[in-house]
Amino acid sequence: SYGEEINSLFGITLYDNAEKYVSSNYIDSNIYKNPETIEGYFDLEITDKIKVKSPYVSEYWITIDSDNIIHSVFGAHLLNNLDRCLEVQEDLLSNLELKYQVDFEYLESSYPGFTIYRYQFFDSSNNHFALQCNDDYEYGDVIRQIYIETEKFLDSINEFYDSGL
């Protein structure tokens, strides 16, 4: 379902220049190529730069393009129990649906090394907001993820995964 435009998470807004939140020196010294895109996007860990932290997240990241424009805001927390992740996800989902007045869509997908259990919605600008648990059976980890991303970045991720078919 489509909600109003939702373009920020953890106090960081999509399409802002990353230099609004961190210095250009920090960006230049810490970015690396995003592993789920073919080209043009870079990840930057910003956990120490977040002023008000979420109780659901322990690590924070942004994804930027070559002009330092933010295309994704991402939070994650490592767990060792899928059932606990799914339980907390359900509680958080109820709060988010009330806050944003939207109904999230459920999606479950399996990949060679992991399965995702995701609730998602697209806002009026096609920004993608998601809450998910990743059961990484290759490494034995469960990761809770909360993120928002631009349509352009999501298209680039889909292009990456489709390229291997």
Side-chain angles (χ1 to χ4, degrees):
S1 64
Y2 285 81
E4 295 296 316
E5 184 172 335
I6 302 183
N7 63 358
S8 68
L9 186 63
F10 311 126
I12 299 172
T13 303
L14 294 176
Y15 301 108
D16 274 356
N17 189 303
E19 292 176 46
K20 180 176 177 182
Y21 305 97
V22 296
S23 71
S24 59
N25 287 341
Y26 183 83
I27 294 169
D28 293 341
S29 299
N30 293 285
I31 64 168
Y32 62 92
K33 185 198 169 302
N34 178 277
E36 291 185 301
T37 58
I38 295 171
E39 62 182 274
Y41 292 97
F42 307 90
D43 290 334
L44 180 66
E45 194 267 334
I46 58 165
T47 301
D48 293 339
K49 308 299 182 186
I50 298 292
K51 293 178 176 78
V52 179
K53 301 210 177 356
S54 167
Y56 298 99
V57 173
S58 58
E59 295 180 4
Y60 299 82
W61 300 80
I62 57 174
T63 302
I64 60 176
D65 63 19
S66 57
D67 294 322
N68 291 341
I69 302 302
I70 298 171
H71 285 270
S72 175
V73 181
F74 178 89
H77 185 75
L78 185 64
L79 304 158
N80 60 6
N81 184 307
L82 178 60
D83 291 334
R84 182 69 181 137
C85 186
L86 295 171
E87 179 182 321
V88 171
Q89 182 182 44
E90 289 291 328
D91 289 341
L92 185 54
L93 176 69
S94 298
N95 292 335
L96 291 171
E97 286 182 331
L98 282 172
K99 178 178 180 177
Y100 294 116
Q101 296 295 298
V102 296
D103 293 319
F104 281 74
E105 170 190 15
Y106 181 73
L107 173 71
E108 188 174 315
S109 298
S110 293
Y111 297 91
F114 60 96
T115 299
I116 62 169
Y117 305 88
R118 176 189 303 150
Y119 287 96
Q120 65 183 6
F121 77 87
F122 293 86
D123 73 6
S124 59
S125 296
N126 269 338
N127 295 325
H128 179 236
F129 189 104
L131 169 64
Q132 72 185 36
C133 293
N134 281 20
D135 184 12
D136 188 325
Y137 33 85
E138 184 175 352
Y139 297 103
D141 295 328
V142 175
I143 304 167
R144 177 177 39 250
Q145 300 175 334
I146 304 168
Y147 58 91
I148 190 168
E149 57 197 1
T150 65
E151 179 181 27
K152 186 176 178 182
F153 178 61
L154 181 58
D155 288 347
S156 187
I157 292 171
N158 290 333
E159 178 185 351
F160 171 80
Y161 282 104
D162 291 346
S163 70
L165 296 178

